[in-house]
Amino acid sequence: MTKLWPAASLLLALPLGGCGLLGIPRPVTLDVVGVSLPATVSPTAPMQVDVRVGTGSCEDTNHRLTLVSRTAQALTLKAEATKTNSGAVCPAVYTENTLSYTDPGTPARTIPFEVVVNGKSWGKVNVQ
């Protein structure tokens, strides 16, 4: 009967690992509350984009903006975090934080220049 314990332990661990209960880090998309961007920017000047995100779990760490794509017409970002599911008991506390991304201005922007975060267009910047 002792030979069955390792196999039984493995069978129990597989479903827990599939749910993320063993602390396996994975990316999660953050809720975007708002995006601030300048009304006007030159074609090649650096441009800062501030993204306000809502968070509510102590298991979400490493909040960040990730560059998805950048063309002359659009900047596409993703607001995400790393979820660990460590099993920690967390109070449900909602907070908002601002994440910033600075676009270097290359390639040169053209009109209209659109900013997209998490698949949603948050506005167009006038290029002068």
Side-chain angles (χ1 to χ4, degrees), residues 1 13 15 19 24 27 29 32 36 43-44 49 58 65 68 81 92 96 98 101-102 113-114 117 124:
M1 183 153 188
C19 294
I24 300 169
T29 303
V32 176
S36 298
T44 58
V49 177
C58 68
L65 284 175
V68 175
E96 291 183 0
T98 300
Y101 178 84
T102 301
F113 187 76
E114 183 175 25
V117 182
K124 295 180 181 176

Side-chain angles (χ1 to χ4, degrees), residues 43 67-76 101 103-109 113:
L67 176 65
V68 175
S69 67
R70 168 63 162 83
T71 65
Q73 298 84 24
L75 170 66
T76 304
Y101 178 84
D103 178 67
T106 54
R109 299 175 194 93
F113 187 76

